[in-house]
Amino acid sequence: MAILQVLEILVRRLGAYCYGRSLRRALALHLRGEVRRDGLNLTTATTHLEIEWRARDIHPWDRELLSPSQRARAFVEQALADTEAAIYRLFSALPEVNLITLKVREQESERLIISGRVLRRDILAQDQELSIGMRLRYLGVTYHSAGALFEPLEEGSRSAPLVTSNRAPGFQAEPSFANAMLRDAGATERLL
């Protein structure tokens, strides 16, 4: 391990310690002039970051070389990769943050295309063999895409799947969509 990495880890730990100490001092009632030495005991603290950004467009060289459908697909892939990278970098840079609520908008139209709530503990349980889209969905990120285009999300809608246990979020398909998939699967089995 390089010296720079060790120093980086020490700085993060020192920052986390100072953050925790600040919280404990804020709850120490005797610092307000009370005679008693006891205070409020900190049991849990969660720091929540809300962040929003505009998705960047694909590189100008790619814009010139790709067809419109290829550009749209490249934009979707890049926006998803940028979102995943931003989530990891934010958690790395801000060790005191436990929850990130994010929104990603299109550059030109300002339409909401990606949103979600990501917990730090879900980052640790990531399966890197999944596609980037599925990794983001398991983290709690919502987006609608047919592969080549983003469909806009509604501003007031629930931005993340329902967390059903300590594992990654579960997904609930629309009943009509799930039933149609089951019907199609049954019809395929009968044909075989």
Side-chain angles (χ1 to χ4, degrees):
M1 194 178 258
I3 294 175
L4 186 59
Q5 290 175 328
V6 171
L7 287 175
E8 197 173 289
I9 291 170
L10 289 175
V11 167
R12 280 195 191 121
R13 287 186 180 168
L14 179 64
Y17 171 78
C18 290
Y19 181 73
R21 186 169 184 266
S22 297
L23 289 175
R24 286 187 296 279
R25 283 184 59 81
L27 296 176
L29 299 178
H30 67 278
L31 297 177
R32 299 185 317 179
E34 289 191 12
V35 178
R36 294 173 32 180
R37 295 291 297 166
D38 61 345
L40 305 174
N41 291 325
L42 178 65
T43 56
T44 305
T46 300
T47 304
H48 180 161
L49 171 68
E50 291 187 26
I51 190 165
E52 182 175 319
W53 67 84
R54 290 185 190 95
R56 62 187 175 128
D57 201 0
I58 61 173
H59 195 278
W61 290 348
D62 293 334
R63 275 183 263 157
E64 301 296 324
L65 297 175
L66 301 175
S67 70
S69 65
Q70 290 172 322
R71 282 196 301 263
R73 185 175 305 280
F75 174 73
V76 168
E77 291 171 3
Q78 177 177 290
L80 293 177
D82 288 350
T83 300
E84 183 181 45
I87 290 168
Y88 278 95
R89 295 182 85 172
L90 286 166
F91 277 126
S92 177
L94 304 168
E96 64 275 359
V97 171
N98 296 321
L99 173 67
I100 296 176
T101 300
L102 62 98
K103 291 183 179 181
V104 182
R105 298 188 179 276
E106 277 187 342
Q107 190 75 262
E108 305 297 322
S109 67
E110 292 290 320
R111 294 184 311 170
L112 182 65
I113 57 173
I114 301 172
S115 69
R117 294 169 50 96
V118 181
L119 292 166
R120 180 181 293 275
R121 71 168 188 240
D122 293 338
I123 291 287
L124 302 175
Q126 262 305 326
D127 182 2
Q128 294 300 321
E129 293 183 16
L130 296 173
S131 70
I132 190 168
M134 286 308 296
R135 287 194 307 262
L136 286 172
R137 290 190 191 279
Y138 276 118
L139 287 177
V141 176
T142 302
Y143 66 92
H144 300 296
S145 172
L149 292 172
F150 279 116
E151 296 174 19
L153 298 174
E154 294 180 26
E155 290 286 337
S157 66
R158 186 168 51 106
S159 64
L162 179 66
V163 176
T164 56
S165 68
N166 289 339
R167 293 181 16 221
F171 298 104
Q172 296 178 344
E174 293 292 325
S176 59
F177 178 70
N179 291 338
M181 286 179 56
L182 291 173
R183 272 195 316 270
D184 292 344
T188 304
E189 283 181 13
R190 282 190 300 268
L191 290 174
L192 297 175

